[in-house]
Each structure stands twice: as structure tokens, then as C-alpha cells.
């Protein structure tokens, strides 16, 4: 078998763009591209487009085991650790039994890996968190998308240790906060950011996320419908882009809403290369998630000059100063009031908010910062 070099990375993920789901895990692909551009050799193992989920994961796990045993690589880079843990833990145990040196493991945690998300099965989450904890204890570096999520990981790792034959390794993991792939400021807002010089008196809204209970697209539709009912002069249009279990219910809700079919429309998810022009064509971004580990789409919208109206949750509070670079809302009354406030501002004040939003992204969440910090993870470990 070939020997690994310190430039070889095996990327394991259940989230990666496919022909059926071009938006799925696009930030994971961008992270891989960043590493390739930095001179690393990245091999990706991910799910195939198979409609039977059990078969899809069985084939995925078998490929992971085969690659970990046969593919030369110095690093194993795991995105969504809870969904990839089973084959990785198996190979770790096998290599230990065979007295083979372990891989350097970099784990990138997200969403429901270690934090319970509402509307999810509690037993399934308990199993996921247990598996994630085992991988994280064996990771040389843990990457978290936000400081708030990093705190959740620390609390998990400080908890009571698990399990007989899978006792944690002795070393303590290095936890780093990196915005997943970051926002490419040469694509988002590079052309569209400068508005016309005329204050926005009504807004074109866009929703860009999955159609799942966690993201609350039906609540978003209710907010927009109420805005149209109470203050139609501030509403221009609304477009929903995404996919998920609530697609049919969302379309039914749109058909029953007060807004006409010309005012509100629902579309499939768009590939990542279409997102910049989508934001450029709209004025405001709205997302009322129950939970997020960070939220890349709102940051891309902020970079593009879109006004963001986000739910008042810890992840969004990490980068939004309410009324200064975006708006945090927790009720439809608050949403309507803040839309009315913004639309009453003069152009200069509206533009100050847009510029402050872009500055937030530029200072902390750009792709240049994310790429630098991600590459540092692997460069630092290659020196060890």
C-alpha cells in the first residue's frame, strides 16, 4: 500500500451537492476546493443518489471503511460527525487492534450533531450525540461554525465519559471556530451592493433554506402574509427557494394566502453559483429558524446588501446587532413594525445598515478568513 503524505486528506461527509440536490452541502464542497487550491490532495467519500436511505448509508459506510483501510491519507476530515461515526469508530478500533498508527482526525461539527433540534426524535438524537461524542474525543481538532456551538461541544466533552471498549483517548481536542467555507465577497455584493440612491419604500423578500420544521417556512409565510394584509405598501414580492418535507404544505399555504400568485412564488433549491444573482435581485432576506449552528445564507445575504430579518436565536445574535446591521424578530407584530421602520428611513440610513452588514461579514466571516483558518488546521498538524 502507498504511504500517505502530509498533503493527503480523506473527506468524509453525508452532505455534498448532487444532481438531485445541488444546494445540499455546498459549503462542504467549497471547503474541499479551498484545501485543493492550497495544495492538498482531497479525496471525497459521500452519499450516492439512492432513494432507499438504508441502502444509501450502507453503501456509504462500506466505502468509508474501505477508503480508511486502503486509501493513503494523513488526515481524515469529517463533516457531520454523527452521521459518519459508525464506520470511523469501527476502523479506529480495528487499527488499534492491529497496532497501526491512527489517522489525524479533524471533525467539523454542525447542527444536530451534538445539540438537540426541536421536532426531532429524542432517542435518535441521543444515539447521534453518543456517536458524535466518541468521535470528538478521538479528534485532534474540532471545528465549530460559531462560538456558541463551540461552547455546546465543550460541555459535551466535559460530561461523564463513555463506554468500556470505546473509552476516550487521553489527549484533549483542539476546538477552533471557523465559518464553514465563509462568504466569497468577490461574488456576493461585488456588483449589486450599491443601490440606486433612492430609499427602499417596499421590499422584495427572499427565503433560501430547506423546507423543514426546524426552518419554519410556514411561519415565514404567515409573517409575510400578515405584512401584506396590514401594510401592503411595504410589500413588493416574496420568493421561497428550497426543498424538504414541507414543500407540499408550503405550496398549499401559498395558494391559500392573501398574496396573489404574482406576489409570492415557491421554487426548487438553486445551485450555489446561482445564489449571488438571486440575492442581487431582492431587497430583503427572511429566515425564522428555531435553531442554527451559525447560518451561512443570512451572511451571504448581508454581504449582498439584502436587509436580513432573522429569528431571535443565539446563533443569529452572535453576528446581528438589532437595527444596526439587520433585524432580529420574535413575532409578526415585531416583524411588521421593523419593516415599516426600515422603509421609512432615508436612503442614507438604509445604506448605513447595508454597509454595516457587509462590514460584519468582511471582518469575521469572509471566505478569505475561513480559508486561512481551515488551512492553518492542517498545516499546524503537519508540523506536529
Amino acid at each position: 500500500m502507498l504511504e500517505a503524505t502530509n498533503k493527503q486528506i480523506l473527506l468524509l461527509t453525508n452532505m455534498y451537492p448532487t444532481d438531485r440536490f445541488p444546494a445540499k452541502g455546498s459549503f462542504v464542497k467549497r471547503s474541499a476546493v479551498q484545501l485543493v487550491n492550497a495544495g492538498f490532495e482531497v479525496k471525497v467519500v459521500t452519499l450516492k443518489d439512492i432513494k432507499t436511505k438504508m441502502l444509501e448509508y450502507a453503501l456509504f459506510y462500506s466505502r468509508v471503511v474501505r477508503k480508511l483501510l486502503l486509501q493513503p491519507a494523513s488526515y481524515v476530515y469529517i463533516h457531520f460527525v454523527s452521521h459518519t461515526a459508525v464506520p470511523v469508530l469501527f476502523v479506529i478500533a480495528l487499527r488499534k487492534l492491529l497496532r497501526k498508527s491512527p489517522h489525524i482526525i479533524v471533525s467539523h461539527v454542525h447542527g444536530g450533531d451534538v445539540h438537540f433540534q426541536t421536532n426531532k426524535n429524542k432517542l435518535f438524537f441521543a444515539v447521534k450525540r453518543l456517536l458524535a461524542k466518541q468521535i470528538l474525543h478521538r479528534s485532534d481538532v474540532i471545528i465549530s461554525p460559531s462560538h456558541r456551538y463551540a461552547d455546546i461541544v465543550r460541555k459535551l466533552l466535559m460530561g461523564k465519559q463513555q463506554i468500556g471498549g470505546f473509552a476516550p483517548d487521553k489527549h484533549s481536542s483542539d476546538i477552533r471556530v471557523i465559518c464553514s467555507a465563509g462568504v466569497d465577497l468577490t461574488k456576493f455584493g461585488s456588483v449589486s451592493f450599491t443601490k440606486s440612491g433612492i430609499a427602499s419604500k417596499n421590499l422584495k423578500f427572499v427565503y433560501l433554506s430547506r423546507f423543514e420544521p426546524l426552518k419554519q417556512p410556514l411561519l415565514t409565510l404567515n409573517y409575510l402574509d400578515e405584512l401584506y394584509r396590514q401594510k401592503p405598501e411595504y410589500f413588493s414580492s416574496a420568493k421561497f427557494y428550497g426543498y424538504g418535507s414541507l414543500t407540499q404544505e408550503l405550496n398549499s399555504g401559498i395558494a391559500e394566502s392573501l398574496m396573489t400568485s404574482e406576489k409570492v412564488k415557491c421554487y426548487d433549491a438553486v445551485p450555489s453559483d446561482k445564489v449571488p444573482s438571486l440575492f442581487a435581485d431582492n431587497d430583503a432576506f427572511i429566515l425564522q429558524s428555531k435553531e442554527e449552528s451559525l447560518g451561512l445564507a443570512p451572511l451571504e445575504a448581508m454581504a449582498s446588501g439584502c436587509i436580513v430579518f432573522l429569528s431571535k436565536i443565539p446563533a443569529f445574535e452572535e453576528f446581528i446587532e438589532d437595527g444596526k446591521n439587520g433585524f432580529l424578530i420574535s413575532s409578526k407584530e415585531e416583524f411588521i413594525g421593523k419593516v415599516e421602520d426600515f422603509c421609512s428611513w432615508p436612503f442614507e440610513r438604509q445604506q448605513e445598515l447595508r454597509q454595516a452588514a457587509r462590514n460584519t461579514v468582511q471582518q469575521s466571516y469572509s471566505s478569505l478568513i475561513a480559508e486561512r483558518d481551515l488551512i492553518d488546521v492542517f498545516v499546524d498538524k503537519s508540523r506536529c
Side-chain angles (χ1 to χ4, degrees):
M1 186 173 70
L2 295 173
E3 289 297 317
T5 73
N6 62 5
K7 286 287 190 178
Q8 292 171 319
I9 300 171
L10 191 62
L11 171 57
L12 311 178
T13 181
N14 69 319
M15 291 285 287
Y16 211 75
T18 65
D19 291 338
R20 282 177 62 211
F21 302 110
K24 179 182 177 183
S26 58
F27 59 91
V28 181
K29 183 176 181 179
R30 293 202 299 273
S31 295
V33 170
Q34 288 172 345
L35 290 168
V36 169
N37 290 341
F40 289 91
E41 180 185 346
V42 180
K43 301 291 185 182
V44 180
V45 184
T46 189
L47 295 172
K48 302 294 185 182
D49 264 339
I50 300 172
K51 291 185 178 181
T52 306
K53 184 163 281 192
M54 286 187 65
L55 178 59
E56 187 178 36
Y57 270 90
L59 294 173
F60 172 52
Y61 284 178
S62 68
R63 288 196 302 275
V64 169
V65 170
R66 187 168 67 251
K67 291 290 186 181
L68 285 173
L69 292 175
L70 301 177
Q71 178 75 45
S74 290
Y75 309 98
V76 177
Y77 182 24
I78 308 172
H79 264 276
F80 289 96
V81 294
S82 58
H83 286 73
T84 314
V86 170
V88 176
L89 288 171
F90 171 76
V91 171
I92 288 172
L94 184 60
R95 290 180 72 93
K96 190 171 184 179
L97 185 66
L98 297 174
R99 296 184 178 180
K100 292 195 173 188
S101 59
H103 292 99
I104 296 173
I105 297 178
V106 177
S107 290
H108 205 137
V109 288
H110 300 275
D113 273 335
V114 299
H115 182 61
F116 179 70
Q117 297 177 326
T118 51
N119 298 107
K120 298 294 183 179
N121 183 287
K122 290 184 178 180
L123 178 60
F124 180 59
F125 169 71
V127 173
K128 282 203 316 175
R129 184 170 61 176
L130 174 61
L131 292 170
K133 185 174 183 178
Q134 298 306 315
I135 289 292
L136 296 178
H137 271 303
R138 289 161 182 78
S139 298
D140 297 271
V141 180
I142 298 169
I143 298 174
S144 167
S146 66
H147 293 282
R148 169 253 182 188
Y149 203 85
D151 289 340
I152 295 173
V153 172
R154 289 188 187 96
K155 289 178 182 177
L156 176 71
L157 296 179
M158 288 168 59
K160 187 177 179 181
Q161 308 300 330
Q162 311 282 342
I163 287 178
F166 279 110
D169 293 344
K170 299 297 183 182
H171 72 269
S172 176
S173 299
D174 174 11
I175 301 178
R176 306 194 190 188
V177 176
I178 303 174
C179 174
S180 305
V183 179
D184 187 343
L185 293 171
T186 66
K187 295 179 180 178
F188 290 92
S190 59
V191 174
S192 65
F193 182 72
T194 301
K195 300 294 181 179
S196 63
I198 301 171
S200 299
K201 296 302 183 183
N202 54 49
L203 300 177
K204 294 186 289 184
F205 291 90
V206 62
Y207 171 104
L208 180 66
S209 190
R210 289 177 289 121
F211 300 152
E212 297 292 347
L214 183 71
K215 307 293 185 178
Q216 301 197 107
L218 300 178
L219 180 65
T220 298
L221 177 63
N222 177 259
Y223 281 13
L224 293 167
D225 205 30
E226 194 64 22
L227 174 66
Y228 182 72
R229 187 182 73 82
Q230 292 190 31
K231 301 286 183 179
E233 64 271 26
Y234 299 128
F235 179 90
S236 177
S237 64
K239 295 178 180 178
F240 289 77
Y241 292 86
Y243 65 93
S245 62
L246 294 178
T247 301
Q248 185 174 348
E249 198 170 344
L250 179 61
N251 277 304
S252 297
I254 288 173
E256 296 169 3
S257 74
L258 296 171
M259 297 174 283
T260 64
S261 58
E262 292 77 26
K263 291 285 187 180
V264 58
K265 295 182 183 294
C266 185
Y267 302 92
D268 291 336
V270 295
S272 59
D273 62 337
K274 304 294 184 184
V275 175
S277 60
L278 188 155
F279 285 141
D281 291 339
N282 291 279
D283 306 305
F285 174 90
I286 181 168
L287 185 62
Q288 294 302 294
S289 299
K290 292 180 179 179
E291 293 282 348
E292 292 282 352
S293 50
L294 178 64
L296 193 59
L299 291 166
E300 291 172 340
M302 290 165 67
S304 303
C306 282
I307 309 307
V308 297
F309 294 88
L310 306 177
S311 49
K312 199 176 292 184
I313 59 174
F316 294 154
E317 289 175 328
E318 195 163 306
F319 58 84
I320 290 294
E321 291 185 74
D322 191 31
K324 295 182 178 179
N325 63 354
F327 294 100
L328 296 170
I329 54 177
S330 54
S331 69
K332 59 187 174 186
E333 292 78 15
E334 191 175 12
F335 169 61
I336 293 168
K338 289 182 177 180
V339 169
E340 184 175 9
D341 286 345
F342 177 79
C343 290
S344 69
W345 290 355
F347 170 77
E348 291 75 17
R349 187 175 177 187
Q350 291 183 352
Q351 198 70 349
E352 282 178 11
L353 189 146
R354 292 189 178 101
Q355 187 62 58
R358 184 171 172 85
N359 290 346
T360 297
V361 178
Q362 192 168 21
Q363 290 164 12
S364 302
Y365 300 101
S366 74
S367 58
L368 292 177
I369 294 172
E371 182 175 1
R372 178 201 67 197
D373 293 347
L374 180 63
I375 291 168
D376 282 349
V377 168
F378 293 95
V379 171
D380 289 348
K381 287 302 166 184
S382 71
R383 292 170 180 161
C384 296

